[in-house]
Amino acid sequence: MRALVWHGANDIRCDTVPDPEIEHPRDAIIKVTTCAICGSDLHLHDNFMPGMEKGDIVGHEFMGEVMEVGSEAKSALKVGERVVVPFTIWCGECDQCKRGNYSVCERSNRNKALADKVFGHTTAGLFGYTHLTGGYAGGQAEYVRVPMADRTHIKIPGGLTDEQVLFLGDIFPTGWQAAAQCDIQPTDTVAIWGCGPVGQMTIRSAILLGAKQVIAIDRVPERLAMAKAGGAITINFEEESVVERLNELTGGKGPEKCIDAVGMEAHATATLDSMYDRAKQALMLESDRAHVLREMIYVCRPAGTLSIPGVYGGLIDKLPFGMAMNKGLTWRMGQTHVNRWTDDLLNRIQEGQIDPSFVITHTVPLDQGPEMYKTFRDKRDGCIKVVLKP
Amino acid sequence: MAYYDRSSAGDNLARGLGWFSIGLGVAELMAGRSIARWMGMEDKTNLIRAYGVREITAGVGLLALGDPKPWIWSRIAGDAVDMATLAAGMEDNPRAGNARIAFGAVMATTVLDVVCVQKLHREEAYHRSLPVPDYSGRSGFPRPVSAMRGAASDAPIGQDMRTPRILQFQPAQSQAASS
């Protein structure tokens, strides 16, 4: 089969690789009909995420048709069914899964021993990501093996297009959880850093959850235009001071809820601290650029909440933790507990409350994926979200 | 917003110059005395080391800090300073021949820098000439935003995702009264 394969920094290729096979009775094989490039795939492409190996198949946002089902998954899945696959693999049986904390499933990471050493305790297995999270083959491919498939799926009813439901696997519930864990009140101002795909979903989620005011921060004009269309007041950080503008919009008090939809690769040249981070990153003295976190801590209203769906990979320097502590900020973060939200979100899509396909700007065949990684990374051609058709 | 393409010909040349900057900078920093002696300019040893720091900074900027144009311009300015220093150091210099060789090498890299920056500006002009897509109609909602605000306020969100009541902002008076 054809698949997008990681070969090193800035080197993802469309290769021919062996077809996946059932390895465990709980597995299923999915024929991928539609997949997408996620912003967090760029961290792999740019080689900022430790634990990748040459030959890894990437991609964790995908859907398709069930082709084959292992004996222990047959009660939950049937051949021919249409499913979106959540990027977090979950067993449904461990203590964390029983609590709905699927992204920290205690059993789905097959490299648990390694993760225990690095993270202290393992988190869930993820598709197409670092070997710290299991090193499972990803879904930017014609076929994919889904472990624990009796749990790790979202069944899609007829009448909905792939484009409408694909993002249930990652960015829609990620944006939703980012907003939900802020416990948005009708009087809240929610400031969202980053108008990429997750940022766009977060903006819509915050509006649906009833925020009084949603403010989106970015520098790319077309992304800001899309954010504005979704109901956000926009701040272009290259044209105006984020701190001054946020204070102006909140009567000098600061936003009650701040959401980081940027993560470890904050724009490298906008501020002195991010240039410092980028230089340290290049010298391998730091792994993550934390400008957004620093700014959120500074501008957030005391006793406010910071929500962090943006992906971080390791070590951060110069984080003003004293400021955060003294302001009594609440931190909410983590990978998304995808299936916790998807029944509700699927209903909302079916009811027509939201159509997540608004974010798609490019649709291309799978073999054009490597070039689209670069287009997406460089924000060329108005690129916000790339969908691939295997 | 600065436009640049990290896989373009101009960017590849800029990265090459970035590595060159770092190599030259390390050499000037570590072997400043030897370089100065070779050019007959021993009194400029510390200055050459300072130029080494400048080169390393430009190299890190070119390799790691996004848009390479400002860093290539900084290299061109640095080239001018280097040439001025070398020109001034040729008078009464028994090793003026070596200084002239160094001057020629700086001139050659200046040509490369100028070619590079021209390429980068041409590429930016090309990107800017492309039509900007209009996403102003992409709300994702079936109705105006004002009608959608709060449409999911009844969403099932677990208690573990809720803010403790004492930390909620609304309404301040009744919070105090109820706590």
Side-chain angles (χ1 to χ4, degrees), chain A residues 183 187 204 207-208 211-212 219 229 238 269 278 332 340 352-355 358 360-361 377-378 380 382, chain B residues 1 5-6 64-65 127 135-136 138-142 148-152 155 160-163 168-170:
Chain A
D183 195 9
T187 51
R204 274 71 179 176
I207 292 286
L208 287 171
K212 182 184 80 176
R219 71 187 183 104
E238 284 191 338
T269 54
R278 184 65 189 94
R332 304 302 305 251
R340 186 194 274 217
Q353 199 174 80
I354 185 165
D355 178 357
F358 76 87
I360 300 170
T361 55
R377 177 197 61 190
D378 295 344
R380 277 184 275 140
Chain B
M1 176 182 149
D5 175 349
R6 278 189 274 171
L65 293 180
H127 280 298
Y135 299 141
S136 60
R138 292 189 177 216
S139 77
F141 296 133
M148 300 309 296
R149 195 181 300 275
D160 60 329
M161 293 279 165
R162 299 285 182 188
T163 305
Q168 289 178 4
F169 287 94
Q170 181 243 359

